[in-house]
Amino acid sequence: MFTARTRARAALALAATILTAGSNIALVSAASSASASPRRSVAWYSIVTPQRNEPDPDVVKVGSTFYLYFSQTGFTTPPISVVTSSNLLSWAGRPSAAMPNAPSWAIDGFTWAPDVHHFGTRWVMYFDALADSSLYFDHKGKGFFGQHAQCLGVATASGPLGPFVPEAKPLVCQFDHHGSIDARLFRDLDGKLWLDWKSDDNAPAPARSHVTSLWAQQLGPDHLSLVGHRYRLMSATEAWQGGLIEAPDMVLAENHYWLFYSGNWFNGSRYAIGLAICKSASGPCAPVGTTPWTFSHLLGPNPGEGSVFQDSAGFFFFYSPWGLRYLPSHARPVAVAHLRFGPFGPYPTPISGAPTGAPGR
């Protein structure tokens, strides 16, 4: 188990690296200067163009084409949409329906957080959707989301554009935790695949207690089922998280298991990216420090809902910043940051080719 001493050691190690590694000294110096000035001289992130409401972004690459999947944004939009690009910053084409129809077990209009992977000749999408009242309905719950609950689902297609067809039954529901959302797949060194997600304990809020947790379970050989024991990776224990952590995405880099996650409410001023260090793919995981990820404040206003994409050019972090002033108040455009991993953790590097005027406005 990770003790307080272990957590403190991890935090101190991260701080020591930042303070002693030459390249990181320059990074932190530039970052401090940039964050102190209203006009940033360094582009630590970029809003992809065109600027649209595309929350919970997930990116895959096939050949020279990138595919960006995002959540349903209204009752008239597809459950899951996709848009393509030849680079990571400009997605000028019109989105199309990656998953045209909600699963039979779900209520349409609330399909979120796609995570797409390629296995042989089949493409598999993990997502969450609102369970039909025949599966779950809490007569004592307060409000719509207090009465209903989300489940994780899985859908398959023959190509990255879809159409993805959902399975007849949900994959994970955790109705004892008021549902499950935000699935992300992780491949360990031994080739085993793990599904990480969040239990949706906060959905009935306001409530006396809505502490959420992140979970992991091994994926079955068919990629459509879960096997073995279910592990609790971590729970919301730090004050800044407000009892709520979500959107987990695990990365194995520099011989460490790093877990990115989001903390606090997505539509509030305290929403931010958190970082944890894990013992293994099954946890346990412990936050690095008692505040959001050291570099979270460089990634725009209230960043969250992140996913890590890796190709030959390195690691890229796709996420949703909240409440950008030049966009409608409820829009969540896609933002991207370039990441590097040192022995003691990830850090952003200046991103080239950013659209004019995107960062810092």
Side-chain angles (χ1 to χ4, degrees):
M1 295 291 291
F2 277 6
T3 63
R5 179 177 297 178
T6 305
R7 290 172 56 187
R9 187 181 297 121
L12 288 172
L14 177 63
T17 299
I18 293 173
L19 292 174
T20 60
S23 60
N24 283 6
I25 289 176
L27 169 72
V28 174
S29 176
S32 300
S33 174
S35 60
S37 171
R39 291 187 178 183
R40 295 177 182 165
S41 58
V42 178
W44 296 102
Y45 72 98
S46 175
I47 304 298
V48 306
T49 57
Q51 300 157 5
R52 294 182 290 218
N53 187 21
E54 297 173 344
D56 307 309
D58 175 58
V59 173
V60 300
K61 184 180 182 183
V62 183
S64 59
T65 302
F66 297 91
Y67 298 79
L68 187 150
Y69 304 86
F70 59 92
S71 292
Q72 189 168 21
T73 57
F75 290 105
T76 61
T77 62
I80 299 294
S81 296
V82 61
V83 63
T84 62
S85 173
S86 59
N87 60 64
L88 294 175
L89 297 180
S90 177
W91 305 78
R94 293 180 60 85
S96 61
M99 189 166 75
N101 300 303
S104 58
W105 49 265
I107 299 172
D108 193 12
F110 305 90
T111 309
W112 305 330
D115 189 55
V116 177
H117 296 269
H118 187 204
F119 302 111
T121 60
R122 184 170 63 181
W123 289 78
V124 180
M125 175 190 292
Y126 306 93
F127 61 92
D128 58 80
L130 197 68
D132 185 80
S133 56
S134 62
L135 288 179
Y136 180 90
F137 188 84
D138 183 0
H139 291 276
K140 298 180 180 180
K142 294 182 179 180
F144 183 80
F145 286 105
Q147 295 176 326
H148 294 83
Q150 297 269 350
C151 292
L152 300 182
V154 59
T156 59
S158 58
L161 289 174
F164 285 85
V165 178
E167 294 291 296
K169 296 181 179 180
L171 182 61
V172 180
C173 286
Q174 285 182 295
F175 290 139
D176 55 332
H177 289 273
H178 207 84
S180 307
I181 69 170
D182 294 346
R184 294 287 182 198
L185 204 62
F186 171 71
R187 184 184 295 273
D188 207 350
L189 275 176
D190 58 8
K192 292 181 179 178
L193 297 170
W194 293 81
L195 196 68
D196 300 335
W197 71 88
K198 167 213 175 185
S199 54
D200 210 23
D201 307 76
N202 63 291
R208 291 183 179 180
S209 176
H210 61 258
V211 175
T212 67
S213 298
L214 305 179
W215 303 80
Q217 192 168 350
Q218 192 176 332
L219 201 65
D222 62 356
H223 308 121
L224 306 178
S225 60
L226 298 175
V227 297
H229 184 72
R230 181 173 298 171
Y231 298 88
R232 190 193 301 261
L233 295 175
M234 60 183 287
S235 298
T237 57
E238 303 300 333
W240 75 269
Q241 299 162 352
L244 199 168
I245 54 177
E246 60 187 12
D249 201 10
M250 186 174 288
V251 178
L252 179 58
E254 296 292 334
N255 299 315
H256 289 87
Y257 292 87
W258 301 102
L259 184 69
F260 290 94
Y261 63 92
S262 303
N264 220 296
W265 291 86
F266 81 98
N267 56 352
S269 61
R270 296 184 179 181
Y271 199 53
I273 297 166
L275 179 69
I277 186 170
C278 307
K279 186 176 181 180
S280 69
S282 60
C285 304
V288 177
T290 59
T291 60
W293 179 39
T294 305
F295 303 103
S296 182
H297 71 288
L298 296 179
L299 303 184
N302 314 124
E305 303 172 2
S307 64
V308 179
F309 166 75
Q310 182 183 10
D311 71 356
S312 58
F315 292 93
F316 293 87
F317 191 66
F318 284 84
Y319 61 98
S320 300
W322 176 259
L324 292 174
R325 282 179 286 172
Y326 57 87
L327 290 172
S329 61
H330 294 290
R332 282 174 284 168
V334 178
V336 59
H338 190 201
L339 296 181
R340 288 186 179 176
F341 284 82
F344 298 100
Y347 57 94
T349 61
I351 187 165
S352 61
T356 302
R361 289 289 185 86

